[in-house]
């Protein structure tokens, strides 16, 4: 024992055997760290690959279609097979889908496993416009939706404006001078009177509205659409409550609407409580003055 203690270095440094053992321990520790890091990298890479694979679109599910053929929508969506859902420009794709006539809104959602769910909300026909050999159904913006040979009795008819199948996806009122007509009809068809409207005919000056009870409403000017439609709503409510019926209502020929029955004219809304609306001639000084109608006035 005394001899072994004498063999240790006198300066306190470890012997060669001790240095070799420490070196091996350091190498083992480093190897284990490198191995653990490699395993972690492989696990992360596998998880990333699996996650990416799971989000890669293999199937496309389309719902909400009633009028639009599946093939029309798939012409846009089929090219998305094999694409990663996370990297899709879903806003651009929805924009392309909403260019299709009858598509009101579209939404793209991921559905497990590996399925792209395309949700379509369709537009309802707003009116139907007679054309050669059929009808063009239009939406609220008067864009053509569909050409059909069959008249649809539940859709109001718009007459007096030329249209063709080329209007599909495009507005039938393309000129700025026709915006007054479009605005008046939109206001009318969004009002309480819309349920009673059977047809609207564009005349050389003004329009003719036919109701489902075989009544006629004549409008000379497209100006002040909201005011005139409000008058018409009040008139229809009054007639329904009193069970009266007139052949024709002249909405804006005079200061007050006039009803005609058997050739006799009757002023409407004048002096009524509750139902009375100020006529164009009765507006106060605070209201903007309306210009006198011109002979060739049509729309504004």
């Amino acid at each position: 024992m005394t001899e072994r203690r004498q063999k240790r270095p006198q300066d306190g440094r470890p012997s060669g055997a001790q240095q070799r053992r420490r070196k091996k321990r350091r190498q083992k520790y480093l190897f284990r760290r490198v191995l653990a890091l490699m395993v972690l990298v492989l696990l992360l890479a596998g998880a990333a690959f699996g996650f990416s694979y799971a989000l890669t679109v293999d199937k496309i599910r389309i719902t909400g279609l009633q009028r639009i053929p599946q093939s029309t929508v798939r012409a846009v969506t089929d090219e998305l097979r094999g694409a990663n859902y996370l990297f899709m420009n879903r806003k651009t794709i929805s924009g392309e889908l909403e260019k299709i006539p009858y598509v009101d809104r579209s939404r793209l959602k991921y559905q497990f496993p590996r399925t792209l769910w395309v949700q379509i909300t369709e537009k309802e026909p707003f009116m139907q416009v007679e054309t050669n050999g059929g009808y063009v159904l239009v939406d609220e913006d008067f864009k053509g939706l569909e050409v059909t040979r069959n008249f649809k009795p539940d859709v109001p008819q718009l007459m007096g404006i030329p249209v063709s199948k080329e209007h599909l996806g495009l507005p039938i009122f393309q000129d700025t001078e026709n915006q007054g007509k479009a605005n008046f009809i939109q206001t009318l068809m969004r009002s309480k009177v819309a349920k009673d409207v059977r047809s609207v005919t564009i005349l050389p000056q003004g329009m003719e509205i036919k109701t489902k009870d075989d009544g006629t409403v004549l409008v000379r000017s497209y100006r002040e659409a909201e005011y005139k439609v409000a008058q018409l709503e009040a008139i229809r409510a009054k007639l329904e409550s009193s069970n009266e019926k007139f052949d024709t209502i002249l909405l804006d020929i005079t200061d007050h609407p006039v009803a005609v029955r058997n050739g006799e004219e009757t002023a409407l809304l004048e002096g009524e409580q509750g139902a009375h609306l100020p006529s164009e001639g009765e507006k106060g000084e605070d209201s903007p003055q309306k210009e006198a109608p011109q002979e060739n006035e049509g729309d504004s």
Side-chain angles (χ1 to χ4, degrees):
M1 294 293 293
T2 306
E3 293 179 357
R4 290 182 179 177
R5 283 195 294 268
Q6 290 176 349
K7 289 180 180 180
R8 292 180 181 177
Q10 300 298 322
D11 56 4
R13 290 180 299 173
S15 64
Q18 290 176 327
Q19 290 179 353
R20 286 192 296 271
R21 285 195 298 269
R22 290 181 180 179
K23 183 177 181 181
K24 286 182 180 180
R25 285 197 298 268
R26 285 196 299 268
Q27 288 176 343
K28 288 181 180 179
Y29 178 72
L30 181 61
F31 175 76
R32 289 172 182 169
R33 293 191 64 180
V34 172
L35 181 61
L37 182 61
M38 291 178 62
V39 171
L40 179 61
V41 169
L42 289 174
L43 289 175
L44 290 176
F49 176 79
F51 186 68
S52 177
Y53 177 79
L55 290 177
T56 300
V57 173
D58 181 58
K59 299 177 183 178
I60 296 176
R61 176 190 175 199
I62 302 172
T63 59
L65 300 184
Q66 294 182 353
R67 299 179 177 87
I68 307 171
Q70 281 258 352
S71 57
T72 303
V73 178
R74 289 197 176 277
V76 178
T77 60
D78 276 356
E79 63 183 21
L80 300 175
R81 293 182 187 273
N84 190 290
Y85 178 78
L86 288 180
F87 301 111
M88 286 181 185
N89 191 332
R90 294 186 287 278
K91 185 176 181 180
T92 300
I93 298 167
S94 292
E96 289 299 315
L97 289 171
E98 288 166 12
K99 290 179 182 179
I100 299 173
Y102 269 123
V103 175
D104 186 21
R105 296 185 306 277
S106 64
R107 186 180 181 187
L108 306 181
K109 296 179 65 177
Y110 176 81
Q111 190 175 44
F112 185 83
R114 304 183 66 197
T115 301
L116 179 66
W117 185 9
V118 182
Q119 299 173 319
I120 300 293
T121 302
E122 291 187 341
K123 298 177 180 178
E124 293 291 333
F126 187 63
M127 302 189 82
Q128 56 187 332
V129 189
E130 189 172 5
T131 184
N132 294 332
Y135 301 88
V136 175
L137 302 180
V138 298
D139 63 14
E140 289 191 17
D141 296 321
F142 298 102
K143 292 181 179 179
L145 296 174
E146 176 188 358
V147 177
T148 177
R149 292 185 177 276
N150 301 320
F151 177 79
K152 298 185 178 299
D154 57 330
V155 179
Q157 187 175 2
L158 177 60
M159 297 180 286
I161 180 169
V163 295
S164 65
K165 62 181 181 180
E166 283 74 22
H167 282 97
L168 289 182
L170 299 174
I172 60 175
F173 292 111
Q174 295 188 8
D175 300 331
T176 55
E177 63 181 16
N178 287 322
Q179 291 309 304
K181 300 174 184 176
N183 179 62
F184 196 102
I185 298 172
Q186 286 173 332
T187 304
L188 173 70
M189 299 307 298
R190 291 168 181 166
S191 70
K192 297 177 182 178
V193 182
K195 61 182 176 59
D196 300 324
V197 174
R198 186 173 64 192
S199 68
V200 176
T201 302
I202 304 296
L203 303 175
Q205 182 175 337
M207 69 170 60
E208 177 187 76
I209 303 167
K210 290 284 188 181
T211 58
K212 294 177 181 178
D213 58 0
D214 296 324
T216 300
V217 180
L218 292 177
V219 181
R220 182 177 60 179
S221 169
Y222 300 111
R223 296 180 180 179
E224 299 180 339
E226 293 184 0
Y227 163 73
K228 292 177 182 177
V229 170
Q231 280 191 317
L232 185 57
E233 286 180 331
I235 292 169
R236 296 288 300 180
K238 175 188 174 184
L239 296 181
E240 288 180 4
S241 63
S242 62
N243 201 25
E244 289 186 281
K245 188 175 184 295
F246 291 93
D247 301 326
T248 305
I249 295 174
L250 309 177
L251 194 59
D252 58 354
I253 301 300
T254 64
D255 287 344
H256 289 277
V258 174
V260 180
R261 179 170 51 196
N262 298 327
E264 296 183 0
E265 295 185 358
T266 303
L268 298 172
L269 303 182
E270 187 173 11
E272 300 259 344
Q273 294 294 328
H276 177 68
L277 296 175
S279 68
E280 296 175 33
E282 292 178 324
K283 293 182 179 180
E285 296 179 358
D286 295 335
S287 302
Q289 297 296 319
K290 180 182 175 184
E291 297 179 1
Q294 299 177 358
E295 292 184 1
N296 297 325
E297 179 183 9
D299 57 352
S300 61

